[in-house]
Amino acid sequence: MEAHRAQMGTTPAFGNTLRLREEARDAWGWRWLDDLEQDTRFAWRMLRRSPAFALTAIVTLALGIGVNVGMFSVIDGLLLRPLYAGADAVVGVHSRSTTPSGRHRAFSYPDYLEVQEATADVFEHLAASTTEFVGLDAGQGTRRALAVTVSANYFAVFDAAPSPGRAFSLEEERPGAGIRVVIISHPLWQQLGADARTLGQFVRINGEPFAIVGVARKGFAGTSLPGPEVWLPLGVHSTFGARESTHPAFGARDAHQLGVVGRLRSGMRIESAESAVVAAGRRLAQASPALNTGYELALSRPSNRLLFLPTGDSGTIASLVLLLMLMPTVVLLVACLNLADLLLARGHLRRRELAIRTSLGGGRARLARQLLTEGLLLALAGGAVGALTSIWAMQTLVASLRTLLPVAVTLPEVGFDWRVALSAVAFSLLATLIFAAGPALSWTRRAAADDLRSRTTDERRGFGGLRIGNALVVGQIALSLLLLSSGGLFTMSAIRAASVDPGFPLDGGVVVAIDTALAGYDEARGRQTQLALIDRLRGLPGVEAVTAGSRPPFSSEGASRRVAPAGIADARARSVGAVFSVIGRDYARTVGVPLLGGREFTEAELAAGAGGRVAIIDEALAAALWPGEGALGREIQLLDAPSADGRPPLEVIGVIATVKHSLGNPRPYPHLYVPLGSQYESASTVQLRTAPGVDEHDMLATIARAVRDVDEHLPVLNIATWRDHMAASLDVRLQRAGAGIFAAFAGIALLLAVLGVYGVKSYVVSRRIREFGIRIAIGAAPRTLLWQVLREGGRVTTVGIGLGLVLAVAAGQFLQSILYGVHGIEPAILVIAPAILLTASLLASYFPARRATRVDPTIALRSE
């Protein structure tokens, strides 16, 4: 071309050089890369020109992605992901009754060894273990810790050899060996300095020094969550095992205390293994018919069910997990609807720009690609911020979970899960591109001349029309009301749980929780320490009464016994479950429970080995055993305790009013009380009643000094007033945690819904600027326009609230089983939650409406 122009001597119209040069370059096939670069730069400039829109869209996506990635990462790490390598090959071995009840029974150590030998060709490793609480002193004083005593091959079952250090030896496993060695958890190792020189150092467990020989791998928790802080060899179990003198010694054939788990050999199918295990069970029954007849062996997958949760059925736990998975999904759905609203409004505001670009030759596909590029940038930015938000969400959730647990424990590593993150980001990308594609296709096919002349087509036909925008807002409001009402139910449940009437006065009460076994005391010294502490506290000025109880109400601990009237033929059929507690004298007076008949225990009945076989029962147990009859002087028999082996029955010498032990039952659970002299339990709670006019809070420091005076080595687990003790109970904390989580999700959904309403109202106002200008020019009052916009927003919100109420009622019925004192349909919640949402929606509509009333007619008409 340049040569031809030089020959012609002039510069004729010989075509557009730049255009031909671009077409020649396009022939190489790299045009799409240039277009992408141009679209990206242009999209960045457009987003910078609209920072409010960009920030709102990014925050919307970040909240939706962040809470989902955080919640699902925690659920995956704690409940779904295998706790150890090769989990498919690990199975649990159970001894279960052949009766219809199918009740499981633990193994004794001799039975475990026989099963291990009989199934050597089935299992690569077969290990035994048992879990208990110990007193751990790692340099900061004695505290309660979770411990697991294990066989030597325990860590080999999970292919998780300690590092650094070693596993236990067979000599250390032997019952009665007493070799004091310990393997500590990785978090405890970090507390001690995370130094290899930690090996060989000592920690004190139940007052005795134990040498550290190994450190568990990071995140290893064993078969269930939460995991222990220390692992001990079976050979030291008798040091801190069952503390009641009536229990058989560990290692005896009838000491059923062990759980058994094994790793199948390579290529071994679970069906083949089960037949070998069943055969081993038959050999056990033949070898020890007195103990093992009526039991069979079976296999199952180990459960990683969380410990320390309420002892209700597994359906409650499944419901909680399902809720934790559904809540962030609802938030993400609200975020997507909100994003669609924002992109619709954004597309309308740019209709004239698109019309101009179309009139200058911009193709429809090119313009649509430009809009999609902007959506892609928003999705990437929102995903990046959401990833950072998810890390905060994970840390907050794990920290909240730790506050629910009564002791420090080991949890698996819950880190940033790229699988979950990529899934959430991919979903947000897909949602953003879909919602961006609608306005892109809608606005690029519109007639450019109409938009240039400011003529609008029928609003109801386009994808970006008002009807679509309102429908999206309705969906946001309905889902937000669902979360808001659910959060309200949990909040009301937490309030009622914290203010529950336990059946006795809380004012003036103090509890002191101790465990003499955590200091390594035997029964004789433990009894002596308990009685000495009671006498010392009884002599404090301002103390009116003192007693002791092994399981006070709302202690998150409990032991149930089957109780039946003595001397009847159908005792098992007429038996009643009751909370079993060992108490001291003056119990009813100290706690403040009315004594309905009879007497309390005497000082003589508190002495060790006291001969009297007496008991006190509460009104609920008396009514269950002898409805409509008197209980005093009657005799009862414990059916599932060592006292049921032919010993004399217990005589009922007193009946007291029923107290509420926990929030798990709508009606108070029956209680059975026996004196300290009849049974020893190292874990007890000393309970005090202060004199009238004495503030119990002022007594806490005095009581703590008195405990140290009695025994400075005695581990004190808690000193608190009755109100603080109840507020810190697991039941109340669970309700409070549920209220907090639901309130957080409801707040996020409410924020997103308000942004959605604001976006649609801004969209409506921007489309009607010319109309408002004309109406103001011909005399319309600004108040009239303000009321009209608010009324239109109120109609959309009302429709969403109506749909949300239907969802809220359905959710309430689902939540009712895990709430306390709250019905699934609470009128107060169904009024307050919609009122909050309606108020927030009207406020979101007010600002665009206020802007409409301030339109200058001249500027509005001229701008169009």
Side-chain angles (χ1 to χ4, degrees):
M1 290 176 61
E2 294 296 336
H4 281 80
R5 285 173 178 159
Q7 292 177 3
M8 297 176 67
T10 61
T11 308
F14 199 71
N16 188 318
T17 304
L18 180 60
R19 179 179 177 183
L20 293 174
R21 182 175 296 160
E22 290 179 348
E23 290 178 354
R25 190 171 184 276
D26 291 344
W28 292 91
W30 295 99
R31 180 176 179 178
W32 66 271
L33 192 57
D34 288 339
D35 291 346
L36 178 60
E37 181 185 359
Q38 294 173 8
D39 290 344
T40 303
R41 287 202 307 267
F42 184 78
W44 172 248
R45 290 197 301 270
M46 294 301 296
L47 293 177
R48 288 181 59 187
R49 287 183 57 187
S50 304
F53 162 78
L55 181 62
T56 303
I58 291 172
V59 169
T60 297
L61 279 173
L63 290 175
I65 294 173
V67 297
N68 273 271
V69 173
M71 181 64 77
F72 281 106
S73 294
V74 171
I75 293 175
D76 179 64
L78 297 183
L79 297 178
L80 303 180
R81 187 185 305 169
L83 299 180
Y84 38 81
D88 292 341
V90 177
V91 295
V93 183
H94 303 285
S95 175
R96 66 187 182 192
S97 172
T98 56
T99 62
S101 67
R103 185 172 61 91
H104 284 201
R105 186 185 68 177
F107 285 84
S108 65
Y109 185 75
D111 285 349
Y112 154 68
L113 292 180
E114 291 188 17
V115 173
Q116 184 183 47
E117 181 181 0
T119 58
D121 57 340
V122 173
F123 293 103
E124 185 176 352
H125 298 284
L126 191 69
S129 65
T130 183
T131 303
E132 54 206 314
F133 288 110
V134 298
L136 173 64
D137 184 356
Q140 296 88 26
T142 303
R143 56 182 174 82
R144 179 179 288 185
L146 190 65
V148 177
T149 53
V150 301
S151 57
N153 59 352
Y154 178 83
F155 291 92
V157 169
F158 307 105
D159 192 20
S163 179
R166 64 171 176 86
F168 299 127
S169 66
L170 288 175
E171 182 182 3
E172 293 164 343
E173 172 190 316
R174 180 173 48 83
I179 303 175
R180 293 185 172 91
V181 292
V182 60
I183 295 174
I184 63 176
S185 67
H186 194 273
L188 181 56
W189 182 56
Q190 290 180 315
Q191 293 176 22
L192 296 176
D195 193 333
R197 289 176 295 181
T198 304
L199 298 181
Q201 295 183 6
F202 290 86
V203 295
R204 300 188 74 85
I205 298 177
N206 287 0
E208 299 292 337
F210 279 70
I212 300 174
V213 298
V215 178
R217 291 184 182 180
K218 186 177 182 180
F220 178 73
T223 57
S224 62
L225 295 178
E229 282 195 280
V230 293
W231 286 265
L232 302 162
L234 288 177
V236 299
H237 182 273
S238 57
T239 305
F240 47 82
R243 302 175 182 90
E244 298 179 11
S245 58
T246 53
H247 282 196
F250 178 74
R253 177 73 67 173
D254 57 344
H256 299 104
Q257 303 173 24
L258 300 175
V260 175
V261 64
R263 176 176 288 274
L264 297 173
R265 292 190 176 275
S266 178
M268 175 64 65
R269 297 174 57 87
I270 191 170
E271 294 82 7
S272 303
E274 184 142 27
S275 61
V277 168
V278 170
R282 287 195 292 265
R283 286 195 290 271
L284 278 181
Q286 294 172 359
S288 304
L291 294 174
N292 294 322
T293 299
Y295 287 89
E296 62 182 2
L297 300 187
L299 297 182
S300 69
R301 295 293 181 188
S303 171
N304 62 345
R305 178 181 182 272
L306 290 173
L307 302 176
F308 310 127
L309 287 178
T311 55
D313 59 7
S314 58
T316 300
I317 300 173
S319 300
L320 288 172
V321 174
L322 179 61
L323 286 174
L324 292 177
M325 298 178 69
L326 287 179
M327 285 188 299
T329 304
V330 174
V331 171
L332 183 59
L333 183 57
V334 173
C336 290
L337 294 176
N338 191 4
L339 183 62
D341 270 340
L342 292 172
L343 293 176
L344 281 173
R346 173 78 167 170
H348 169 72
L349 294 175
R350 297 181 59 186
R351 70 191 190 282
R352 294 196 66 191
E353 171 209 332
L354 298 175
I356 293 173
R357 297 179 67 187
T358 301
S359 65
L360 294 178
R364 180 184 177 190
R366 186 72 173 82
L367 296 179
R369 191 164 67 242
Q370 172 64 58
L371 296 178
L372 291 175
T373 302
E374 292 185 22
L376 180 63
L377 278 182
L378 288 174
L380 292 176
V385 179
L388 297 177
T389 305
S390 68
I391 297 175
W392 168 82
M394 284 186 292
Q395 294 173 346
T396 302
L397 288 170
V398 173
S400 300
L401 177 61
R402 289 187 182 277
T403 62
L404 297 177
L405 302 176
V407 293
V409 294
T410 301
L411 293 176
E413 290 295 312
V414 179
F416 188 79
D417 194 325
W418 287 104
R419 298 171 302 163
V420 180
L422 289 176
S423 299
V425 172
F427 178 78
S428 65
L429 284 172
L430 179 63
T432 305
L433 294 178
I434 289 176
F435 295 140
L441 297 176
S442 174
W443 294 111
T444 55
R445 77 164 169 259
R446 292 168 58 90
D450 289 340
D451 283 331
L452 290 174
R453 291 194 299 266
S454 299
R455 294 177 182 174
T456 58
T457 58
D458 185 4
E459 292 178 342
R460 297 184 180 182
R461 290 185 300 189
F463 180 89
L466 185 60
R467 175 175 294 180
I468 296 296
N470 285 341
L472 295 175
V473 171
V474 167
Q476 292 181 69
I477 292 174
L479 294 175
S480 299
L481 181 58
L482 167 64
L483 290 180
L484 200 60
S485 61
S486 299
L489 290 175
F490 265 100
T491 302
M492 181 177 289
S493 176
I495 293 174
R496 293 184 179 177
S499 59
V500 64
D501 180 11
F504 55 89
L506 297 177
D507 294 333
V510 178
V511 294
V512 182
I514 62 172
D515 191 340
T516 57
L518 300 186
Y521 297 169
D522 57 14
E523 179 177 340
R525 187 174 179 184
R527 284 183 178 275
Q528 179 184 1
T529 302
Q530 290 176 353
L531 295 176
L533 179 59
I534 293 174
D535 290 339
R536 177 71 176 86
L537 295 178
R538 186 176 288 129
L540 292 178
V543 174
E544 188 176 70
V546 179
T547 190
S550 59
R551 294 173 184 87
F554 298 94
S555 61
S556 303
E557 300 175 3
S560 179
R561 294 285 190 269
R562 301 300 301 181
V563 185
I568 61 174
D570 55 345
R572 180 66 60 177
R574 290 188 54 186
S575 65
V576 177
V579 175
F580 181 81
S581 297
V582 180
I583 64 173
R585 70 180 178 91
D586 296 332
Y587 183 84
R589 185 166 71 94
T590 304
V591 177
V593 183
L595 182 64
L596 304 179
R599 64 174 178 86
E600 294 199 63
F601 298 131
T602 64
E603 193 70 34
E605 291 166 336
L606 306 183
R613 300 284 297 169
V614 293
I616 295 174
I617 64 176
D618 67 356
E619 190 177 9
L621 183 56
L625 295 178
W626 301 286
E629 303 177 21
L632 289 177
R634 304 269 189 135
E635 293 184 336
I636 58 175
Q637 184 71 53
L638 305 184
L639 302 183
D640 53 358
S643 57
D645 57 0
R647 297 182 183 181
L650 305 180
E651 178 187 357
V652 178
I653 63 169
V655 178
I656 63 176
T658 302
V659 299
K660 198 168 187 62
H661 190 78
S662 67
L663 302 179
N665 298 286
R667 290 182 296 179
Y669 204 73
H671 286 70
L672 168 66
Y673 306 93
V674 297
L676 288 175
S678 65
Q679 185 167 326
Y680 170 67
E681 293 198 13
S682 63
S684 64
T685 301
V686 180
Q687 300 161 52
L688 300 88
R689 176 68 58 182
T690 60
V694 176
D695 188 352
E696 64 268 25
H697 291 88
D698 297 337
M699 293 290 298
L700 297 182
T702 303
I703 293 171
R705 287 193 297 270
V707 174
R708 288 195 298 270
D709 291 343
V710 172
D711 190 338
E712 62 180 357
H713 301 295
L714 180 64
V716 179
L717 306 179
N718 184 36
I719 299 179
T721 66
W722 261 115
R723 291 191 182 277
D724 293 339
H725 170 75
M726 285 186 57
S729 67
L730 180 59
D731 291 330
V732 176
R733 282 182 290 166
L734 281 174
Q735 295 293 332
R736 192 184 302 125
I741 293 176
F742 261 98
F745 281 107
I748 293 173
L750 179 61
L751 173 63
L752 295 176
V754 168
L755 292 176
V757 172
Y758 179 82
V760 168
K761 291 297 104 182
S762 298
Y763 166 66
V764 171
V765 169
S766 66
R767 300 200 68 171
R768 300 176 64 183
I769 288 292
R770 189 167 186 269
E771 172 198 340
F772 291 149
I774 294 174
R775 297 180 64 179
I776 292 176
I778 62 176
R783 181 177 300 176
T784 303
L785 297 180
L786 178 64
W787 173 246
Q788 180 181 352
V789 176
L790 290 177
R791 186 171 63 247
E792 292 172 354
R795 282 202 299 265
V796 175
T797 303
T798 301
V799 175
I801 288 177
L803 180 59
L805 285 174
V806 176
L807 298 177
V809 170
Q813 298 299 316
F814 178 76
L815 295 173
Q816 185 171 346
S817 60
I818 58 178
L819 298 173
Y820 175 76
V822 177
H823 194 271
I825 303 176
E826 284 289 341
I829 298 298
L830 297 181
V831 171
I832 294 175
I836 293 174
L837 196 54
L838 180 61
T839 302
S841 177
L842 290 178
L843 286 176
S845 301
Y846 171 76
F847 294 101
R850 185 166 172 264
R851 188 169 68 248
T853 62
R854 296 186 175 185
V855 170
D856 187 333
T858 304
I859 296 177
L861 295 175
R862 185 184 303 127
S863 66
E864 292 295 334

